[in-house]
């Protein structure tokens, strides 16, 4: 869990710094740093659900 937490902090920080560097806006950098990782987390959740479904449908012994 600590690894996940530290990765989340890293993700938020990178998102903020990239947007701040591009725009010079603390407000926009902060908004993107909150929104992008949240959306990315939701997308990852559904990606994993689809991936599990695909893996389950593959014939036995299939090496991916």
């Amino acid at each position: 869990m600590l690894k996940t937490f530290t990765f989340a902090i890293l993700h938020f920080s990178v998102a903020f710094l990239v947007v701040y560097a591009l725009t010079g806006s603390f407000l926009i950098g902060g908004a993107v740093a909150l929104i992008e990782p949240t959306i990315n987390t939701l997308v990852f959740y559904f990606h994993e659900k689809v991936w599990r479904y695909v893996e389950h449908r593959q014939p036995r012994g299939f090496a991916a």
Side-chain angles (χ1 to χ4, degrees), residues 3-60:
K3 183 179 179 182
T4 300
F5 181 69
T6 58
F7 181 77
I9 291 172
L10 181 65
H11 192 154
F12 284 101
S13 300
V14 169
F16 172 79
L17 291 172
V18 168
V19 175
Y20 181 75
L22 292 173
T23 66
S25 171
F26 186 81
L27 183 63
I28 295 172
V32 171
L34 293 176
I35 295 168
E36 188 276 334
T38 302
I39 300 293
N40 205 9
T41 299
L42 291 171
V43 169
F44 182 76
Y45 170 78
F46 289 108
H47 172 267
E48 286 296 305
K49 286 185 74 92
V50 170
W51 194 249
R52 272 187 252 128
Y53 174 78
V54 168
E55 287 180 330
H56 184 269
R57 290 184 39 96
Q58 289 180 352
R60 302 257 185 236

